[in-house]
PDB file of all heavy atoms in Angstrom:
ATOM      1  N   VAL T 306     -17.563   8.089   8.935  1.00  0.00           N
ATOM      2  CA  VAL T 306     -18.838   8.425   9.564  1.00  0.00           C
ATOM      3  C   VAL T 306     -18.677   9.033  10.945  1.00  0.00           C
ATOM      4  O   VAL T 306     -19.613   9.587  11.489  1.00  0.00           O
ATOM      5  CB  VAL T 306     -19.780   7.201   9.647  1.00  0.00           C
ATOM      6  CG1 VAL T 306     -20.132   6.704   8.264  1.00  0.00           C
ATOM      7  CG2 VAL T 306     -19.171   6.095  10.478  1.00  0.00           C
ATOM      8  N   ASP T 307     -17.507   8.907  11.539  1.00  0.00           N
ATOM      9  CA  ASP T 307     -17.272   9.532  12.839  1.00  0.00           C
ATOM     10  C   ASP T 307     -15.814   9.952  12.941  1.00  0.00           C
ATOM     11  O   ASP T 307     -15.020   9.672  12.052  1.00  0.00           O
ATOM     12  CB  ASP T 307     -17.668   8.605  13.997  1.00  0.00           C
ATOM     13  CG  ASP T 307     -16.765   7.395  14.135  1.00  0.00           C
ATOM     14  OD1 ASP T 307     -15.795   7.262  13.359  1.00  0.00           O
ATOM     15  OD2 ASP T 307     -17.019   6.577  15.025  1.00  0.00           O
ATOM     16  N   GLY T 308     -15.472  10.599  13.996  1.00  0.00           N
ATOM     17  CA  GLY T 308     -14.111  11.093  14.162  1.00  0.00           C
ATOM     18  C   GLY T 308     -13.207  10.173  14.954  1.00  0.00           C
ATOM     19  O   GLY T 308     -12.017  10.403  15.070  1.00  0.00           O
ATOM     20  N   SER T 309     -13.757   9.097  15.491  1.00  0.00           N
ATOM     21  CA  SER T 309     -12.954   8.234  16.351  1.00  0.00           C
ATOM     22  C   SER T 309     -12.139   7.220  15.573  1.00  0.00           C
ATOM     23  O   SER T 309     -11.111   6.748  16.046  1.00  0.00           O
ATOM     24  CB  SER T 309     -13.859   7.473  17.334  1.00  0.00           C
ATOM     25  OG  SER T 309     -14.591   6.470  16.650  1.00  0.00           O
ATOM     26  N   GLY T 310     -12.620   6.843  14.401  1.00  0.00           N
ATOM     27  CA  GLY T 310     -11.953   5.791  13.653  1.00  0.00           C
ATOM     28  C   GLY T 310     -12.323   4.401  14.139  1.00  0.00           C
ATOM     29  O   GLY T 310     -11.815   3.409  13.648  1.00  0.00           O
ATOM     30  N   LEU T 311     -13.201   4.317  15.115  1.00  0.00           N
ATOM     31  CA  LEU T 311     -13.571   3.036  15.692  1.00  0.00           C
ATOM     32  C   LEU T 311     -14.830   2.434  15.095  1.00  0.00           C
ATOM     33  O   LEU T 311     -15.092   1.247  15.272  1.00  0.00           O
ATOM     34  CB  LEU T 311     -13.744   3.177  17.204  1.00  0.00           C
ATOM     35  CG  LEU T 311     -12.505   3.625  17.970  1.00  0.00           C
ATOM     36  CD1 LEU T 311     -12.836   3.832  19.443  1.00  0.00           C
ATOM     37  CD2 LEU T 311     -11.381   2.620  17.816  1.00  0.00           C
ATOM     38  N   SER T 312     -15.613   3.224  14.393  1.00  0.00           N
ATOM     39  CA  SER T 312     -16.862   2.724  13.837  1.00  0.00           C
ATOM     40  C   SER T 312     -16.592   1.707  12.736  1.00  0.00           C
ATOM     41  O   SER T 312     -15.709   1.891  11.901  1.00  0.00           O
ATOM     42  CB  SER T 312     -17.684   3.877  13.255  1.00  0.00           C
ATOM     43  OG  SER T 312     -18.797   3.358  12.548  1.00  0.00           O
ATOM     44  N   ARG T 313     -17.369   0.653  12.703  1.00  0.00           N
ATOM     45  CA  ARG T 313     -17.256  -0.342  11.638  1.00  0.00           C
ATOM     46  C   ARG T 313     -17.742   0.223  10.310  1.00  0.00           C
ATOM     47  O   ARG T 313     -17.573  -0.398   9.267  1.00  0.00           O
ATOM     48  CB  ARG T 313     -18.045  -1.593  11.995  1.00  0.00           C
ATOM     49  CG  ARG T 313     -17.446  -2.339  13.157  1.00  0.00           C
ATOM     50  CD  ARG T 313     -18.106  -3.703  13.311  1.00  0.00           C
ATOM     51  NE  ARG T 313     -17.497  -4.441  14.383  1.00  0.00           N
ATOM     52  CZ  ARG T 313     -16.470  -5.263  14.233  1.00  0.00           C
ATOM     53  NH1 ARG T 313     -15.941  -5.417  13.052  1.00  0.00           N
ATOM     54  NH2 ARG T 313     -15.980  -5.918  15.255  1.00  0.00           N
ATOM     55  N   TYR T 314     -18.353   1.397  10.340  1.00  0.00           N
ATOM     56  CA  TYR T 314     -18.843   2.025   9.121  1.00  0.00           C
ATOM     57  C   TYR T 314     -17.810   2.960   8.493  1.00  0.00           C
ATOM     58  O   TYR T 314     -18.038   3.488   7.409  1.00  0.00           O
ATOM     59  CB  TYR T 314     -20.154   2.758   9.394  1.00  0.00           C
ATOM     60  CG  TYR T 314     -21.222   1.797   9.880  1.00  0.00           C
ATOM     61  CD1 TYR T 314     -21.605   1.789  11.207  1.00  0.00           C
ATOM     62  CD2 TYR T 314     -21.809   0.888   9.012  1.00  0.00           C
ATOM     63  CE1 TYR T 314     -22.566   0.899  11.665  1.00  0.00           C
ATOM     64  CE2 TYR T 314     -22.764  -0.009   9.455  1.00  0.00           C
ATOM     65  CZ  TYR T 314     -23.143   0.002  10.787  1.00  0.00           C
ATOM     66  OH  TYR T 314     -24.079  -0.888  11.232  1.00  0.00           O
ATOM     67  N   ASN T 315     -16.676   3.188   9.162  1.00  0.00           N
ATOM     68  CA  ASN T 315     -15.563   3.898   8.555  1.00  0.00           C
ATOM     69  C   ASN T 315     -14.877   2.903   7.628  1.00  0.00           C
ATOM     70  O   ASN T 315     -14.466   1.829   8.064  1.00  0.00           O
ATOM     71  CB  ASN T 315     -14.557   4.383   9.604  1.00  0.00           C
ATOM     72  CG  ASN T 315     -15.100   5.493  10.450  1.00  0.00           C
ATOM     73  OD1 ASN T 315     -15.808   6.355   9.976  1.00  0.00           O
ATOM     74  ND2 ASN T 315     -14.767   5.477  11.723  1.00  0.00           N
ATOM     75  N   LEU T 316     -14.793   3.233   6.356  1.00  0.00           N
ATOM     76  CA  LEU T 316     -14.259   2.296   5.375  1.00  0.00           C
ATOM     77  C   LEU T 316     -13.251   2.971   4.461  1.00  0.00           C
ATOM     78  O   LEU T 316     -13.339   4.167   4.199  1.00  0.00           O
ATOM     79  CB  LEU T 316     -15.396   1.740   4.506  1.00  0.00           C
ATOM     80  CG  LEU T 316     -16.558   1.080   5.243  1.00  0.00           C
ATOM     81  CD1 LEU T 316     -17.700   0.801   4.270  1.00  0.00           C
ATOM     82  CD2 LEU T 316     -16.103  -0.195   5.914  1.00  0.00           C
ATOM     83  N   ALA T 317     -12.298   2.180   3.977  1.00  0.00           N
ATOM     84  CA  ALA T 317     -11.354   2.653   2.967  1.00  0.00           C
ATOM     85  C   ALA T 317     -11.010   1.475   2.066  1.00  0.00           C
ATOM     86  O   ALA T 317     -10.730   0.378   2.559  1.00  0.00           O
ATOM     87  CB  ALA T 317     -10.093   3.213   3.609  1.00  0.00           C
ATOM     88  N   THR T 318     -11.051   1.696   0.774  1.00  0.00           N
ATOM     89  CA  THR T 318     -10.654   0.651  -0.157  1.00  0.00           C
ATOM     90  C   THR T 318      -9.141   0.478  -0.079  1.00  0.00           C
ATOM     91  O   THR T 318      -8.424   1.399   0.345  1.00  0.00           O
ATOM     92  CB  THR T 318     -11.047   1.020  -1.597  1.00  0.00           C
ATOM     93  OG1 THR T 318     -10.302   2.185  -1.994  1.00  0.00           O
ATOM     94  CG2 THR T 318     -12.544   1.272  -1.739  1.00  0.00           C
TER      95      THR T 318
END
Side-chain angles (χ1 to χ4, degrees):
V306 297
D307 69 2
S309 72
L311 299 176
S312 172
R313 292 191 178 269
Y314 299 106
N315 290 322
L316 305 170
T318 65

